[in-house]
Amino acid sequence: MSSLEEKIQEFQDIIDQAKHIVFFTGAGVSTDSGIPDFRSQDGLYHLKYSYPPEEIVSHHFFVEQPEAFWEFYKDKMLNLDAEPNTTHKFIADCEAAGKSLGVVTQNIDGLHQKAGSKRVYELHGSVLRNYCTSCSHSFSARWIKETHGVPRCTECGAIVKPDVVLYEEGLSEPVLSGAIAAIQSADVMVILGTSLVVYPAAGLVNYFSGKHLVLINRDVTPYDSNADLLIQASFSDVFPKLHV
Ligand code: APR
């Protein structure tokens, strides 16, 4: 049995015995659905734009250059036809089987819910929710995708904003406290597809005090040494071999 096969078997044994799993995911779980992540070689932050993409998705850029923000956002952040993949479905199946407390995600693509996950803590919000910055009227992502240039409220004409946490913005307190409570109650924490370099999200790992910390990621992360089980592999080589 190869080292990877041994680790997958070890992970399967942990899943079999677990009662309160919490999953913690990043953009890496959606790459198999065709959505690029941020920091891999082919990630969004390596794209050449007139401004660094990490600056474009900031609050000050949204306010000062709405045209350039919305051009990048509609082009690169709205993947509305993406479908959940094996990893999303495994996470949802664990919840359906009563083994998981839910998923804490940094992702804004809504694919965990599309896969059937019910308890999803969206630390960075969701592209599926959009609202007027003045009268709070809400708009769908489909409506946003079909607008030309800067989306403006049909009720009052003000600029519409996605319910996404941009750099320089704070996270939702109720979401954060819900995520921390789930992590503190978990016996197993499974971290998937994140470089764990963005805070406060990455710091949530420190609230875990359960039995097994599992980290599955293709590249190295600053938390690799904290993991009880570290699997450096692509999800397509891992999740098809697992069952709930
Ligand atoms: N299989 C396994 N690992 C993968 C796969 C895959 N198919 N695809 C990508 N990965 C891993 C990469 O190795 C990388 O370390 O997923 C990780 C994704 O890291 P990032 O691109 O940094 O994404 P993430 O950690 O979610 O970013 C956090 O940064 O800009 C902010 O708000 C944004 O939520 C985002 C946050």
Side-chain angles (χ1 to χ4, degrees), residues 5-241:
E5 286 163 343
E6 283 170 354
K7 289 190 170 198
I8 292 172
Q9 184 55 55
E10 190 179 342
F11 183 36
Q12 181 67 66
D13 294 343
I14 290 171
I15 293 292
D16 291 346
Q17 289 149 27
K19 292 186 174 44
H20 305 297
I21 304 167
V22 67
F23 291 92
F24 183 93
T25 64
V29 302
S30 295
T31 55
D32 285 338
S33 296
I35 301 179
D37 67 13
F38 296 96
R39 295 175 180 82
S40 289
Q41 278 320 302
D42 58 350
L44 290 181
Y45 291 166
H46 294 287
L47 293 175
K48 294 293 167 251
Y49 267 77
S50 37
Y51 295 89
E54 257 191 306
E55 181 179 355
I56 296 175
V57 291
S58 68
H59 182 82
H60 79 265
F61 198 92
F62 174 82
V63 171
E64 293 159 14
Q65 311 226 30
E67 293 79 5
F69 170 88
W70 278 109
E71 183 188 2
F72 176 83
Y73 180 88
K74 285 190 233 179
D75 188 28
K76 295 297 175 192
M77 311 289 282
L78 280 186
N79 305 276
L80 304 183
D81 298 325
E83 289 299 326
N85 59 55
T86 312
T87 306
H88 295 109
K89 289 173 186 153
F90 179 83
I91 292 169
D93 290 348
C94 284
E95 185 182 341
K99 292 175 82 66
S100 166
L101 298 170
V103 49
V104 177
T105 188
Q106 300 169 91
N107 300 342
I108 58 176
D109 55 35
L111 289 183
H112 284 302
Q113 294 92 329
K114 212 169 183 181
S117 286
K118 301 279 182 271
R119 281 193 296 271
V120 183
Y121 301 94
E122 293 176 313
L123 298 176
H124 294 161
S126 171
V127 298
L128 300 180
R129 298 186 298 270
N130 305 273
Y131 58 87
C132 172
T133 52
S134 173
C135 72
S136 301
H137 188 78
S138 64
F139 297 89
S140 72
R142 288 270 171 225
W143 181 84
I144 294 283
K145 189 86 175 171
E146 281 147 29
T147 57
H148 297 288
V150 177
R152 286 191 173 276
C153 178
T154 51
E155 306 299 307
C156 73
I159 288 182
V160 175
K161 185 179 181 299
D163 184 22
V164 165
V165 178
L166 304 176
Y167 281 113
E168 301 152 12
E169 292 180 343
L171 278 62
S172 149
E173 272 310 313
V175 172
L176 207 46
S177 47
I180 289 169
I183 291 169
Q184 289 176 321
S185 317
D187 58 357
V188 174
M189 181 171 190
V190 182
I191 301 172
L192 303 170
T194 174
S195 57
L196 290 168
V197 296
V198 172
Y199 286 78
L204 268 59
V205 179
N206 299 315
Y207 284 96
F208 178 68
S209 57
K211 256 175 95 186
H212 299 288
L213 180 61
V214 180
L215 200 166
I216 309 178
N217 201 62
R218 190 178 52 214
D219 296 320
V220 296
T221 82
Y223 284 82
D224 287 359
S225 57
N226 301 52
D228 301 307
L229 173 61
L230 175 67
I231 305 179
Q232 280 181 342
S234 293
F235 297 129
S236 53
D237 295 332
V238 175
F239 282 92
K241 296 174 181 151

